[in-house]
Every structure is written in C-alpha cells, then in structure tokens.
Amino acid sequence: MIKNFEHLLELAKQKESKKIAVVAADDLEVLEVISKAEELNLAEFILIGDMNKMKKIIEENSLNIKSELADEKDHKKAADLAVDLIVQGKAGSLMKGMLHSSVFLKAILNKEKGLNTGRHITQISVLEKENKDGLLFITDCAITVNPDLSGKKEVLENAVDLAHKLGNEMPKVAVLASLEVVNPDMQDTIDAAVLSKMADRGQIKGCIVDGPFAFDNAVSSEAAKQKGIVGPVAGNADIIVVPNLTVGNTLTKSITYIAKKTVIAATVGAAIPVVFTSRTESLEGKLLSIALAAYTS
C-alpha cells in the first residue's frame, strides 16, 4: 500500500506506463511542468497544441523537453485527438492543459469513444496522513455540486476504486455531516447512515463505511474517543465523503492554504486516469498528480 507521496513518486518512476496525452499544451506553465516531470522520469508525454507556439516557448525558455509534439490549435479537435490516442493504445492517460474544462470533459464523456464508463466523473483531493503513514482522500471537491444519495454512492465508489489501485484493499470510509448522529431534519446525516447500512448489506463493496461523522472524529481517534464514537472508521478514515462541493472545496483549500499541506488532485470515473489540476496548484502538486496518473494507468 502506498504510504506517502515520496513512495508514490518512487513507484511511478519504476513503472513502465503508457504516455500521457496533454491537451492544449501550448502554455509556459504547462510546459514547465512537463519538463520537470520528464527530468524526474515520471512519465512520457504527447503534447497537443499549437506546434509553433510550443516550439517558441520551449526555445525561449530553454526547456529540455523530449516529448512528441502534435499540431492542433483548435481545442475541441485537440481534446478529440487526445481521446483517439487513448483508444488507439498510444497513450494511457489524459492531462488538461490551457483549455476550458467543459471542452476537455466533453471529449472524455463522448460515449462513442469508450472512455465513458457510465459513472460520473468525480474529483478526489489526496493528502498524506499524520506521520506520512497512509493517504487520505477527500471527495468530491471540484466537480459534483450537490449529490443526492445515489450521487454520493458514486462519489464514494470512485474513491474506493482509486484506493484499491493504490494498494488499500479495504479502505475505511467516513461519510461527513455536521454532527455524528442522525437528525431527521438534516438530510446529510440520513444519507450518511443509509450509505453505511448499504455497505453492511453488500450494496457497496470493497470498503468499510460508517457515518455520519463530523470531520474531527473521522480523522482524530482522540476526538472520536471524547465523543464516545467507536468502530474501525472512527478517527481512522482513509476516505472522507463530503456532503457537497462547497464543503469539499473549502476543506481542501483550508488544508492547502492555512495548514500548508500538499494536496494533489485525482480525477476519476473515466476508463483511464485524468490529470485535471488547477492553474493555482503548486508545481509539486502537479507533478504528484502526474505521478498518480502514471502509476494507475
């Protein structure tokens, strides 16, 4: 099981993974990340974009890039070309460059291409646990706005699939709400309890689910003990399922900007790994997202 980001980087370097197709790569920040990723031997790339612009940026900034370049200025066509490379077996994952998210996702979700698994595309924020002893997932923090019970089940199952790929065979899932008991007036507490019972009855597989949890007693055994909450998930969650995007996004950014912890983004639910980072994400975070995609492709 992958214990921390350093472990992930080492395994990504060792794995002979397929290339990552980068859509709209004609941007300095994108190309700087690619250059560093190649230097670290994290992955190989196919860079799709304005060929002349890419060459000019590479030359003017003395970037050492060995990647194959593909000329396509139109963002929609570039995204479609990247998906075609996946279908043809020439690439194993996709990376978003400087294009609108909707254009990028539309190409991935094209049912005729085979990358659409029928599941929702969801986002997971990944960070290291205390003492770098395991990874903690928080989901969904960027895509799913206000999921109902069915949507939360998909968000949860996407995260469990990623945990399995990273070696955690039975992740512990805490479903978040504002408090730890079921309140009939608070739908999030009801959803959490139902998801927990669904896992008990085998409707959700490959994980242990409990809830509702407040954030503190999901990640702190001391907080759980003080509240009298017991069970394998209490204080020891591997996956946190948040009630909605506002909670997930705020929680992730608080961890990033106030706690100063490195948080990487994983976009899951498609047939292949997707690197879908924010422009404001650190270089380290972007490189780790690439390592994650390379390792799981």
Side-chain angles (χ1 to χ4, degrees):
M1 184 172 70
I2 290 179
K3 290 291 187 180
N4 50 54
F5 291 154
E6 183 179 355
H7 189 197
L8 172 63
L9 284 171
E10 289 305 313
L11 291 178
K13 291 174 185 178
Q14 295 170 20
K15 184 173 180 183
E16 187 176 344
S17 56
K18 292 184 178 179
K19 294 180 180 179
I20 299 175
V22 187
V23 185
D26 43 25
D27 173 80
L28 175 57
E29 288 188 21
V30 173
L31 291 171
E32 285 177 333
V33 171
I34 301 304
S35 177
K36 187 64 177 178
E38 287 189 340
E39 179 186 330
L40 295 173
N41 197 33
L42 293 180
E44 296 180 348
F45 302 87
I46 302 173
L47 308 180
I48 306 168
D50 184 325
M51 177 81 77
N52 291 331
K53 188 175 179 181
M54 285 191 287
K55 287 182 175 179
K56 183 178 180 182
I57 293 171
I58 291 169
E59 182 178 350
E60 289 181 348
N61 295 277
S62 301
L63 299 177
N64 184 21
I65 289 180
K66 304 171 185 176
S67 300
E68 176 184 345
L69 306 183
D71 189 27
E72 182 51 75
K73 300 178 182 66
D74 182 272
H75 286 176
K76 181 183 181 303
K77 292 180 180 178
D80 289 339
L81 173 58
V83 172
D84 287 340
L85 291 172
I86 299 290
V87 174
Q88 296 163 11
K90 296 178 180 179
S93 55
L94 296 175
M95 177 174 170
K96 177 183 173 292
M98 286 306 297
L99 77 162
H100 287 298
S101 299
S102 58
V103 176
F104 184 65
L105 287 173
K106 188 175 181 179
I108 296 172
L109 295 173
N110 184 340
K111 292 182 179 179
E112 296 179 0
K113 300 291 186 177
L115 302 189
N116 187 341
T117 63
R119 282 188 174 179
H120 288 123
I121 301 293
T122 60
Q123 189 266 8
I124 302 169
S125 294
V126 184
L127 58 147
E128 293 174 320
K129 288 187 177 182
E130 191 175 2
N131 299 321
K132 297 187 177 182
D133 187 26
L135 300 178
L136 176 66
F137 296 173
I138 305 173
T139 186
D140 184 336
C141 305
I143 297 175
T144 310
V145 178
N146 193 30
D148 58 10
L149 177 64
S150 177
K152 289 175 183 177
K153 179 175 180 287
E154 284 196 275
V155 167
L156 190 162
E157 289 175 330
N158 279 349
V160 170
D161 284 349
L162 180 61
H164 289 171
K165 290 177 182 177
L166 296 179
N168 189 341
E169 296 179 358
M170 189 59 66
K172 295 176 284 294
V173 183
V175 187
L176 219 60
S178 300
L179 65 168
E180 308 84 12
V181 295
V182 175
N183 184 329
D185 294 326
M186 301 177 72
Q187 186 61 45
D188 291 331
T189 67
I190 297 171
D191 289 348
V194 172
L195 289 167
S196 176
K197 183 53 66 176
M198 290 173 75
D200 290 344
R201 297 287 174 85
Q203 291 175 266
I204 300 173
K205 302 181 186 298
C207 59
I208 302 168
V209 183
D210 200 359
F213 281 102
F215 185 73
D216 57 349
N217 43 63
V219 298
S220 167
S221 56
E222 183 62 32
K225 183 179 179 181
Q226 289 176 354
K227 290 284 184 72
I229 303 170
V230 297
V233 179
N236 196 30
D238 301 306
I239 298 170
I240 304 288
V241 177
V242 298
N244 55 54
L245 187 145
T246 300
V247 173
N249 189 269
T250 302
L251 183 57
T252 295
K253 288 182 177 176
S254 297
I255 292 168
T256 303
Y257 291 100
I258 297 177
K260 305 297 183 183
K261 289 182 70 72
T262 298
V263 179
I264 67 176
T267 302
V268 295
I272 41 84
V274 179
V275 182
F276 199 152
T277 59
S278 166
R279 192 172 180 89
T280 60
E281 190 165 339
S282 67
L283 174 61
E284 180 187 14
K286 291 174 181 175
L287 290 170
L288 285 165
S289 293
I290 289 170
L292 186 63
Y295 179 73
T296 56
S297 64

